[in-house]
């Protein structure tokens, strides 16, 4: 009976999920259970170490992540899912795009394709979700407006060299990965809702597990905080 579910049922396009690791393997299940068809891009293969945080079974070790995730979607929902290799310049963009890859260069490529595609739509209603996961904290950036794009491009779309390297032996936990998947699905539900005031879509969401603290900011608030720190 929710307004967002009625809107989802009318949405006939697919959601692109780029990366099927700690973020995408969980997000694909939860997004598909909203009733959204998903395209999953990832040609990496599942390894034993991935059991620490990614949503796969031991019997899936050795399989391609995008294919295994599609099979999991089909097991847990009635929604269609399609597997692809890495997203390239030739790949088809989607109005709703979720990126959860390990590199900033891949984020830049997918974002560029999404932005060009949305600018060509009469009524875009698009959203680009950039999700970043560490062992016990995560951040989700949701871009919908030109103001969001400006802050994202100037403050958050940095190079791979500038990205903070995590300790190799402590990259993921299942509870943080499951939570970021849930936040992504929640953001999409709010995105489809007509009640913008009661169900806002924050530009920036940050969660820290140690203190159970979630922070949400608009793009204006995020930019203001950065400028305040720079002073």
């Amino acid at each position: 009976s929710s307004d967002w579910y009625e809107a989802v049922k009318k949405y006939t396009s697919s959601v692109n999920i780029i990366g099927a690791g700690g973020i995408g393997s969980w997000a694909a299940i939860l997004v598909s259970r909203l009733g959204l068809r998903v395209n999953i891009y990832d040609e990496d293969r599942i390894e034993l170490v991935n059991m620490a945080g990614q949503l796969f079974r031991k019997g899936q070790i050795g399989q391609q992540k995008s294919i295994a995730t599609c099979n999991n979607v089909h097991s847990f929902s009635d929604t269609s899912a399609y597997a692809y290799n890495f997203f390239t310049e030739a790949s088809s963009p989607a109005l709703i795009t979720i990126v959860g890859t390990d590199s900033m260069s891949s984020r830049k490529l997918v974002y560029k394709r999404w932005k060009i595609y949305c600018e060509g739509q009469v009524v875009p209603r698009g959203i680009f979700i950039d999700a970043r996961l560490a062992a016990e904290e995560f951040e989700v950036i949701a871009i919908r407006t030109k103001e969001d794009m400006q802050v994202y491009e100037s403050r958050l779309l940095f190079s791979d060299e500038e990205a903070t390297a995590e300790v190799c032996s402590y990259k993921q936990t299942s509870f943080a990965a499951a939570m970021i998947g849930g936040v992504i699905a929640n953001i999409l539900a709010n995105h489809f809702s007509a009640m913008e005031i009661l169900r806002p879509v924050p530009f920036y969401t940050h969660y820290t597990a140690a203190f159970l603290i979630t922070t949400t900011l608009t793009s204006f608030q995020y930019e203001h905080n950065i400028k305040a720190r720079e002073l």
Side-chain angles (χ1 to χ4, degrees), residues 79-99:
T79 309
S80 299
Y82 304 92
Y84 299 89
N85 294 330
F86 287 130
F87 191 92
T88 69
E89 287 279 3
S91 301
S92 298
L95 280 176
I96 300 177
T97 297
I98 301 162
V99 177

Side-chain angles (χ1 to χ4, degrees), residues 90-162:
S91 301
S92 298
L95 280 176
I96 300 177
T97 297
I98 301 162
V99 177
T101 60
D102 293 331
S103 75
M104 295 303 298
S105 56
S106 60
R107 284 181 168 85
K108 289 180 179 180
L109 167 64
V110 180
Y111 172 71
K112 181 182 74 172
R113 298 279 287 123
W114 172 84
K115 182 179 178 181
I116 293 172
Y117 182 68
C118 283
E119 288 175 344
Q121 303 296 310
V122 178
V123 184
R125 190 61 174 162
I127 182 169
F128 182 88
I129 298 176
D130 181 341
R132 306 175 186 185
L133 173 66
E136 294 188 83
E137 65 178 314
F138 61 77
E139 56 185 4
V140 181
I141 305 120
I143 299 101
R144 300 199 299 172
T145 68
K146 289 184 177 180
E147 291 74 21
D148 293 343
M149 292 178 188
Q150 291 170 357
V151 176
Y152 178 67
E153 291 168 15
S154 63
R155 299 295 188 180
L156 290 155
L157 204 58
F158 39 78
S159 67
D160 284 303
E161 289 72 25
E162 296 173 284

Side-chain angles (χ1 to χ4, degrees), residues 48-68:
L48 180 60
V49 68
N50 298 144
M51 298 297 104
Q54 300 177 24
L55 187 56
F56 299 115
R57 302 185 301 276
K58 284 186 177 180
Q60 292 176 311
I61 291 175
Q63 295 180 20
Q64 186 170 317
K65 288 184 179 181
S66 59
I67 295 174

Side-chain angles (χ1 to χ4, degrees), residues 16-28:
N16 275 357
I17 299 179
I18 319 301
I23 297 168
S25 63
W26 292 89

Side-chain angles (χ1 to χ4, degrees), residues 136-139 175 179 205-210 212-215:
E136 294 188 83
E137 65 178 314
F138 61 77
E139 56 185 4
F175 68 84
M179 289 180 71
T205 301
H206 184 272
Y207 176 77
T208 304
L212 291 169
I213 293 175
T214 303
T215 303

